[in-house]
Amino acid sequence: MVKEYKTITSVTGPLIFLENTENIGYGEYVNINLSDGSLKRGQVLDTSGKRVVVQVFEGTRNIDKNAYVKFSGDVLKIPVSYDMLGRVFSGSGDPLDGGPKVIPEARLDINGLPINPYKRAPPHEFIQTGVSAIDGMNSLIRGQKLPIFSGSGLPHNQLALQIARQATVLDCTESFAVIFVAMGITEEEAKYFISDFEKTGALERGIVFLNLASDPSIERLIVPRIALTTAEFFAFNYDMHMLVIMTDMTNYCEALREIGSAREEVPGRRGYPGYMYTDLASIYERAGRIEGKNGSVTQVPILTMPGDDITHPIPDLSGYITEGQIIVSRDLQRKGIYPPIDVLPSLSRLMSKGIGKDRTREDHKSVSDQLYAAYAEGKDLRGIVSIVGKESLSKSDKLFLDFADDFEKRFVTQNSTENRGIADTLDIGWEILSKLPEDKLLRVSDELIGKYMRRFNNAPDKADQI
Amino acid sequence: MTCGVINLQNKGTIYRVSGPVVTATNIDAKMNELVRVGKEGLFGEVIEIDYDKTIIQVYEDTSLLKPGDEVTTTGMPLSVDLGPGLLGSIYDGVQRPLPKLSQLMGEFIKRGAESPGIDREKKWEFFPLKKKGDKVNFGEAIGYVNENEHTKHFIMSPPNISGEIVEILEKGSYSVEEVLCKLDNGALIKMYQRWPVKVPRPFKDKMIPNVPLVTGKRIIDVLFPLAKGGTAAIPGPFGSGKTVTQQQLAKWSDTKVVVYIGCGERGNEMIDVLTEFPKLVDPVTGGPLMDRTVLIANTSNMPVAAREASIYTGITIAEYYRDMGYDVSLMADSTSRWAEAMREISSRLEEMPGEEGYPAYLSSRLSSFYERAGIVLTLGGKIGSVTVIGAVSPPGGDFSEPVVQNTLRITKTFWALDSNLSQKRHFPSINWLESYSLYYDSLKEWFESKVSIDWDRTRSEAMEILQKEAELQEIVQLVGADALPPDQQFLLEVARMLREIFLQQDSYHEVDEFHSLKRQFSLLNAIIRFSRLGNNAIENGIEIDKILKLESRAEISKVRYRKDFENKIGSINETMSKEFKVLLGEE
């Protein structure tokens, strides 16, 4: 039931207003034919007997009062197909790689539907990313949403690529694919991603959706939804394990704010709309596993914290929805450490479900708790040293101080091409712990110390010191 | 509309749709009445009446609703089914059973599905407590069914029905729809009743809470106890352990019934509760934990208006079990999401915003919710309680924001979660300097008579040590610990023991995760004894290093994990006495 109108009364920012329409549905998908022959797409945001508000995804440039507006009578649906693997699409889902249009197996509503919490399957499969600071300390689990909180100028893209390249599930040969979603990133960054994907062959098992900085910002509101709809299709129809990397969520939120202010809504904190939590949740909550299905959707959204401020509404609301966060720190970056992941404020809420005996290794939880506690103590001591000097520290305190350096230089640091297995990660952990006095290691049992740590105590460099 | 013509309409049409807010015209609906919207008959609630426009919040997704679609009144406010079968259930925000929904529409929640909160067909074995000719008061039990092995579910007359019984069914198996009892005034009593969620269920009298809610968590039970019928707030930034704390309380608190509301939170967390609770053992009855639990799951991506309703649905169910004379605890995770749902609806209504965009009625809504907690004399003459524990998720961890502030004005217990502690993996990460409990004074007597006469003295001593430690830490930051006199250095060590041994508790360790009050007290007492004996030794010129190397000190730190705690703590105390005597050269 397509209805067509030529009654645009006003155009502001990304919105157009129409009058004298009849019975247009909320959320309807809209085509706009411009007088110059071009076509734009949009969606109904508010509808009443008198007036309809439409947000235009491609921006409102060139729209005039003579444009024809076609209401489709349905919500925005995208065509999906297995053949999308290995392709590059625009933010609206059109092919950018010169290939043919997608011949749809199905057309799906981009807003998806909430998973019935009762039918969710508890996530418990460990994903090895090959990055020690993540695998060892804040493990990623299938079906989790674990964002990377970063800042401008930090190597979060490099880290995301490393994860996309290296992510595997131990002892598992099931099919796996990466969906990469760019929102408002520069062409240069996009090239960097795509060339890396091509170089490493990751694109063969991947799909790219690109909305560049020069593309209309409003399109950023639909691109993550298109990507997640595609991911769900692969996960729940083809039993595939999908890793969705979305960068940069900050640009998404800016677009949301833009729409809010164009609609003259009452703004919430820092001008972001009051419904931003709900809106972000409708994206992040689409990660998960479903009872009785083999596939899964795992999300690694990336966001740059404005001014490195973790209390800014974007990281703040994200943190309340996602299952933890990986924090990329400027301090570590300045020290020349890659990946500059600050493990102390980082967290993976699902970690304990996916690690331990039969999953990773029996000592995983204990080692990571002990590394956490010791590193926290070492960092506290750094603060004291800067005031009173190293001399006034006790002998054991000095060991903790050295431990903090060891932890950063030996455990966290690795090359961006190094794919470190979980066993190696844990062994490095034990090795650096072995330099601490045994009676200060309260989080690990004597049994584990005997099994995993003592061998490092006999290492030659330790013997030399004594 | 024509003037002067009164024309009661129970059908109207949609005028405007904006997100979850729908405006209808030509309909005469009452405030807070439930209406059905559109072809699919989506549920909505009337939240404003403005001349000929009726404003409705819809509990489901409103996509493709359009002006001109039909709106019908139901004549009922949003209500819940109260009857046997609630325990062990998992509902969405408007009491639709989620397992039923998944049977109806698969793994995803589509809209327009309808399913009663209580199974209408299931038969329950009814045991009458009254006979023909007996009088039934408002809210009095006429019989009971065994809802599960451990819970007698009393069938009560609704709070607005009383009279003399002219007919009552005998013991037997009936479905909830069958009339169990007829009264002389024509009123009928069934196994279930419906109650509007926004109206508190009435009671005879509210009493002063003076019995503690035992949670098995040392920092809570000893330092900041909560009373049965009391209210508590757990605010904390993300990652500080709110949900873990809430879930631990749901597992271990010694109440008959637990209502757990996941309000706008993560789906994966709800499934966690769902998979774990049936396997866990109820510390009170020994049955499966799920048998005493009612779960309400309205995850963050489910409709926002239903999120607003979920809190009311939960507290009404809690009050219903309270009316049977049971202790009920209610965990709401998180009330901030509830407040945000109010804010979202309010801004769609274009209301004048108060602080940070929240509606001006935020404070009154929060207080009327917490006010539904309490220990009461029920209409039926029993004593029951509802304890409310609300998590708050302040943006940026800033406790000065409106939801935290308005909550603190009402709640009497405050467990401040601290992300500095959680980053050090100190759990539960409740900050012992900022938290407080206003119930302690009225609970003190109970602890002294039921656990130990030394309860208050030992607790105060521990609090004092922790306070002093905070003061000394500032000096240590400047001059280093070595510069302090020995007694202060010793105090720092004792404080460290208190923090690491007593306040920290491992939620994943089978013994440590729950400590009885007796155990909690003996552990604290052992540390405080060590402190007293140590201070005495220092006064007598013993070196601090020697005291810290004592065997008993090392043993205290491990005893909390031991199954034979009681025996062990006794022997530790003996060892401690001996060791100090040796140190002082008395033996």
Side-chain angles (χ1 to χ4, degrees):
Chain A
M1 202 180 48
V2 178
K3 291 175 184 156
E4 197 165 347
Y5 292 92
K6 201 182 163 186
T7 52
I8 294 178
T9 52
S10 51
V11 183
T12 39
L15 304 180
I16 56 175
F17 295 79
L18 288 97
E19 277 182 12
N20 301 322
T21 54
E22 56 175 88
N23 303 352
I24 302 300
Y26 173 76
E28 249 183 63
Y29 170 55
V30 176
N31 277 314
I32 303 150
N33 285 336
L34 271 56
S35 43
D36 63 1
S38 59
L39 178 83
K40 285 179 191 281
R41 286 164 291 190
Q43 188 181 17
V44 175
L45 281 188
D46 193 325
T47 170
S48 71
K50 271 203 304 219
R51 197 181 70 160
V52 170
V53 184
V54 175
Q55 65 175 10
V56 185
F57 299 133
E58 284 99 342
T60 49
R61 176 170 306 161
N62 278 339
I63 293 185
D64 60 13
K65 288 187 177 179
N66 293 318
Y68 285 95
V69 182
K70 261 190 223 164
F71 293 93
S72 64
D74 203 352
V75 291
L76 178 54
K77 288 185 173 166
I78 55 147
V80 284
S81 145
Y82 190 79
D83 299 332
M84 289 170 84
L85 274 183
R87 305 279 309 267
V88 180
F89 298 93
S90 77
S92 308
D94 301 322
L96 282 184
D97 52 4
K101 280 208 151 202
V102 175
I103 298 165
E105 279 174 54
R107 284 180 184 275
L108 300 175
D109 177 0
I110 62 160
N111 288 313
L113 288 164
I115 300 176
N116 186 332
Y118 180 75
K119 292 301 280 183
R120 275 183 187 266
H124 59 76
E125 290 158 298
F126 171 78
I127 299 181
Q128 179 175 296
T129 64
V131 179
S132 290
I134 297 176
D135 291 350
M137 310 297 284
N138 299 288
S139 317
L140 179 65
I141 308 295
R142 262 185 190 169
Q144 187 174 18
K145 37 196 181 292
L146 186 64
I148 297 175
F149 286 8
S150 184
S152 31
L154 295 177
H156 44 264
N157 287 340
Q158 208 177 342
L159 179 62
L161 273 175
Q162 192 173 357
I163 295 173
R165 228 172 22 231
Q166 299 179 169
T168 48
V169 174
L170 298 177
D171 314 320
C172 180
T173 48
E174 286 162 312
S175 47
F176 173 81
V178 179
I179 292 189
F180 178 76
V181 188
M183 287 168 278
I185 64 171
T186 61
E187 180 129 19
E188 195 187 321
E189 284 171 309
K191 284 258 162 67
Y192 172 67
F193 274 109
I194 292 181
S195 72
D196 190 274
F197 279 145
E198 280 170 348
K199 206 165 56 200
T200 58
L203 191 57
E204 285 163 35
R205 47 159 206 176
I207 306 172
V208 177
F209 291 94
L210 282 183
N211 165 282
L212 299 180
S214 52
D215 291 335
S217 62
I218 195 81
E219 197 180 72
R220 282 161 214 161
L221 296 181
I222 55 168
V223 54
R225 296 191 162 84
I226 291 178
L228 287 166
T229 306
T230 315
E232 282 167 1
F233 170 75
F234 278 94
F236 304 130
N237 288 21
Y238 284 98
D239 287 345
M240 286 176 72
H241 296 283
M242 305 301 290
L243 176 66
V244 184
I245 297 177
M246 301 188 277
T247 181
D248 175 329
M249 287 305 289
T250 305
N251 293 332
Y252 173 86
C253 296
E254 297 298 338
L256 203 63
R257 176 161 71 172
E258 200 176 321
I259 284 284
S261 79
R263 292 178 68 187
E264 297 175 2
E265 289 168 344
V266 181
R269 225 157 47 104
R270 303 224 192 158
Y272 293 95
Y275 50 80
M276 193 156 88
Y277 177 84
T278 308
D279 190 277
L280 285 173
S282 71
I283 293 178
Y284 295 141
E285 273 292 321
R286 290 173 80 172
R289 295 175 64 230
I290 291 181
E291 197 70 58
K293 305 228 174 189
N294 279 325
S296 65
V297 177
T298 310
Q299 290 184 16
V300 178
I302 297 168
L303 56 89
T304 45
M305 299 183 278
D308 292 350
D309 175 11
I310 196 168
T311 67
H312 185 280
I314 298 172
D316 191 53
L317 294 179
S318 297
Y320 276 121
I321 306 165
T322 55
E323 281 132 0
Q325 65 278 337
I326 302 289
I327 293 192
V328 180
S329 135
R330 204 169 292 279
D331 285 347
L332 291 177
Q333 159 85 350
R334 284 199 191 109
K335 283 191 184 169
I337 288 166
Y338 177 86
I341 295 174
D342 188 355
V343 299
L344 290 186
S346 299
L347 170 74
S348 166
R349 289 167 191 269
L350 301 183
M351 177 170 175
S352 56
K353 309 277 184 297
I355 62 168
K357 210 174 169 208
D358 301 332
R359 300 229 157 90
T360 52
R361 213 168 77 178
E362 51 171 343
D363 55 329
H364 194 156
K365 171 133 186 13
S366 312
V367 182
S368 102
D369 281 352
Q370 186 59 62
L371 288 169
Y372 255 111
Y375 182 50
E377 185 149 357
K379 272 191 101 174
D380 276 355
L381 288 167
R382 279 186 190 163
I384 295 179
V385 166
S386 65
I387 302 169
V388 295
K390 204 169 173 177
E391 293 71 34
S392 62
L393 293 185
S394 68
K395 215 158 128 198
S396 95
D397 280 354
K398 276 181 195 144
L399 288 174
F400 273 98
L401 197 65
D402 292 342
F403 173 83
D405 292 336
D406 267 357
F407 181 78
E408 288 167 5
K409 296 210 176 94
R410 296 268 295 110
F411 187 87
V412 175
T413 301
Q414 65 187 89
N415 199 292
S416 69
T417 52
E418 182 184 351
N419 190 351
R420 210 185 265 168
I422 182 66
D424 288 345
T425 293
L426 296 177
D427 284 344
I428 294 174
W430 281 113
E431 191 189 333
I432 55 176
L433 283 174
S434 70
K435 295 182 187 162
L436 292 174
E438 242 176 64
D439 65 323
K440 295 272 175 183
L441 304 179
L442 294 174
R443 312 285 173 115
V444 282
S445 69
D446 295 346
E447 190 194 332
L448 290 178
I449 289 182
K451 192 162 170 193
Y452 294 103
M453 197 178 85
R454 294 253 162 77
R455 58 196 161 122
F456 294 112
N457 285 354
N458 302 328
D461 62 322
K462 181 93 180 180
D464 287 348
Q465 279 173 20
I466 302 164
Chain B
M1 269 184 102
T2 10
C3 260
V5 181
I6 296 171
N7 184 10
L8 270 179
Q9 292 270 7
N10 65 357
K11 271 191 169 68
T13 50
I14 295 182
Y15 171 75
R16 179 183 172 191
V17 188
S18 169
V21 175
V22 166
T23 311
T25 51
N26 297 325
I27 188 166
D28 290 299
K30 289 190 278 290
M31 193 67 176
N32 295 110
E33 187 176 340
L34 207 60
V35 293
R36 312 293 296 261
V37 180
K39 292 185 197 75
E40 289 158 290
L42 310 181
F43 277 109
E45 184 187 347
V46 175
I47 49 171
E48 193 178 313
I49 299 170
D50 180 23
Y51 293 93
D52 62 333
K53 298 209 170 72
T54 301
I55 296 163
I56 300 156
Q57 62 173 358
V58 180
Y59 294 123
E60 294 178 81
D61 177 36
T62 55
S63 286
L64 296 185
L65 281 183
K66 45 174 168 275
D69 284 357
E70 194 175 89
V71 180
T72 326
T73 59
T74 63
M76 282 280 289
L78 178 65
S79 307
V80 287
D81 287 349
L82 300 170
L86 288 167
L87 293 182
S89 293
I90 167 164
Y91 294 115
D92 77 348
V94 285
Q95 214 208 8
R96 295 186 301 179
L98 290 172
K100 259 275 156 41
L101 291 190
S102 76
Q103 279 172 21
L104 290 172
M105 37 191 195
E107 296 91 2
F108 294 93
I109 296 187
K110 295 175 190 131
R111 60 188 192 179
E114 206 179 327
S115 179
I118 285 177
D119 193 334
R120 295 289 193 268
E121 258 108 69
K122 182 167 179 181
K123 299 222 178 211
W124 299 89
E125 188 77 5
F126 171 69
F127 299 90
L129 290 171
K130 296 262 179 191
K131 55 185 189 304
K132 193 177 166 185
D134 283 357
K135 196 141 165 45
V136 178
N137 284 323
F138 299 109
E140 200 181 343
I142 59 156
Y144 66 88
V145 302
N146 289 317
E147 189 165 2
N148 55 44
E149 244 176 89
H150 309 283
T151 315
K152 264 188 194 172
H153 185 116
F154 291 98
I155 308 299
M156 299 171 291
S157 76
N160 48 3
I161 287 179
S162 72
E164 198 183 296
I165 296 177
V166 292
E167 202 184 322
I168 183 162
L169 293 183
E170 284 174 15
K171 172 175 178 285
S173 174
Y174 309 105
S175 76
V176 294
E177 283 286 12
E178 280 171 82
V179 174
L180 297 177
C181 177
K182 280 183 190 152
L183 302 182
D184 56 351
N185 51 17
L188 305 174
I189 300 175
K190 291 182 185 175
M191 222 178 261
Y192 83 107
Q193 43 184 289
R194 287 183 66 78
W195 189 262
V197 294
K198 294 197 176 162
V199 182
R201 285 175 64 88
F203 48 82
K204 265 190 199 144
D205 193 17
K206 213 168 220 180
M207 301 183 295
I208 306 250
N210 56 6
V211 178
L213 179 88
V214 180
T215 65
K217 297 287 157 200
R218 293 182 291 259
I219 183 160
I220 291 177
D221 289 349
V222 176
L223 295 191
F224 312 108
L226 173 59
K228 284 193 174 130
T231 51
I234 319 182
F238 61 81
S240 58
K242 276 186 303 299
T243 302
V244 178
T245 311
Q246 287 270 36
Q247 290 186 1
Q248 283 288 315
L249 294 176
K251 276 183 202 168
W252 298 116
S253 48
D254 64 334
T255 52
K256 185 83 178 168
V257 174
V258 172
V259 180
Y260 191 94
I261 310 171
C263 174
E265 287 288 311
R266 307 175 180 90
N268 280 337
E269 265 165 16
M270 290 317 294
I271 194 64
D272 218 36
V273 176
L274 263 176
T275 46
E276 226 178 288
F277 275 30
K279 290 183 217 147
L280 292 167
V281 175
D282 179 348
V284 183
T285 63
L289 198 58
M290 201 60 203
D291 276 1
R292 69 163 189 180
T293 311
V294 183
L295 277 179
I296 296 175
N298 208 79
T299 55
S300 54
N301 56 341
M302 284 157 77
V304 69
R307 192 195 304 167
E308 200 253 349
S310 65
I311 292 278
Y312 294 109
T313 303
I315 191 108
T316 309
I317 293 173
E319 283 176 339
Y320 175 67
Y321 280 98
R322 172 203 72 190
D323 288 348
M324 292 178 206
Y326 292 140
D327 291 320
V328 184
S329 52
L330 177 136
M331 322 315 163
D333 185 19
S334 141
T335 57
S336 290
R337 305 297 158 237
W338 180 54
E340 274 162 18
M342 276 191 261
R343 173 166 74 181
E344 193 170 331
I345 306 270
S346 158
S347 93
R348 300 266 185 191
L349 295 178
E350 290 163 13
E351 290 173 341
M352 181 71 87
E355 215 179 334
E356 298 216 9
Y358 286 104
Y361 46 78
L362 171 72
S363 165
S364 64
R365 292 273 170 93
L366 275 170
S367 49
S368 56
F369 163 64
Y370 281 105
E371 209 26 43
R372 288 174 78 168
I375 179 161
V376 304
L377 181 62
T378 66
L379 291 181
K382 294 175 178 171
I383 290 176
S385 69
V386 174
T387 311
V388 174
I389 301 165
V392 192
S393 322
D398 169 16
F399 286 178
S400 68
E401 63 93 45
V403 184
V404 176
Q405 283 307 312
N406 283 308
T407 305
L408 289 185
R409 289 222 308 269
I410 317 150
T411 53
K412 297 228 161 51
T413 304
F414 171 52
W415 298 318
L417 295 180
D418 186 337
S419 54
N420 284 326
L421 291 175
S422 62
Q423 283 178 20
K424 288 181 193 157
R425 297 299 186 261
H426 174 119
F427 289 115
S429 54
I430 297 173
N431 184 311
W432 50 91
L433 297 172
E434 279 180 51
S435 305
Y436 60 78
S437 166
L438 300 182
Y439 294 111
Y440 181 70
D441 286 333
S442 51
L443 296 175
K444 196 160 70 185
E445 252 174 62
W446 191 96
F447 284 119
E448 287 183 338
S449 65
K450 295 270 158 78
V451 189
S452 164
I453 191 70
D454 284 332
W455 183 278
D456 185 49
R457 209 158 54 99
T458 316
R459 174 185 179 270
S460 315
E461 210 163 317
M463 285 293 267
E464 206 181 306
I465 292 171
L466 291 168
Q467 279 289 349
K468 278 201 187 135
E469 185 205 20
E471 290 163 23
L472 288 178
Q473 281 298 352
E474 287 174 20
I475 305 173
V476 171
Q477 292 282 334
L478 291 175
V479 296
D482 286 352
L484 294 179
D487 61 323
Q488 292 189 344
Q489 281 188 35
F490 182 65
L491 184 134
L492 288 180
E493 283 300 329
V494 174
R496 193 187 171 98
M497 286 168 76
L498 281 174
R499 282 190 282 113
E500 289 182 352
I501 302 166
F502 188 75
L503 299 182
Q504 278 190 31
Q505 203 163 349
D506 188 346
S507 303
Y508 297 98
H509 191 281
E510 50 169 347
V511 179
D512 196 34
E513 69 173 337
F514 178 87
H515 263 191
S516 67
L517 291 179
K518 283 243 162 23
R519 278 192 182 187
Q520 300 185 17
F521 179 76
S522 338
L523 183 61
L524 182 66
N525 196 42
I527 300 173
I528 296 298
R529 245 188 104 227
F530 181 78
S531 159
R532 289 177 195 151
L533 290 171
N535 274 321
N536 180 40
I538 286 171
E539 271 172 37
N540 286 299
I542 306 290
E543 277 171 45
I544 184 165
D545 279 353
K546 281 189 183 154
I547 301 175
L548 296 180
K549 284 207 179 97
L550 292 182
E551 185 67 18
S552 51
R553 175 174 179 260
E555 302 236 301
I556 294 177
S557 66
K558 286 183 186 143
V559 68
R560 63 186 172 124
Y561 297 115
R562 296 189 64 130
K563 282 192 180 140
D564 58 343
F565 180 94
E566 279 73 17
N567 297 333
K568 193 71 195 163
I569 198 90
S571 74
I572 290 176
N573 276 324
E574 277 170 32
T575 324
M576 200 192 301
S577 309
K578 262 191 213 144
E579 282 181 327
F580 273 103
K581 274 188 185 154
V582 171
L583 267 189
L584 289 168
E586 288 168 14
E587 209 166 83

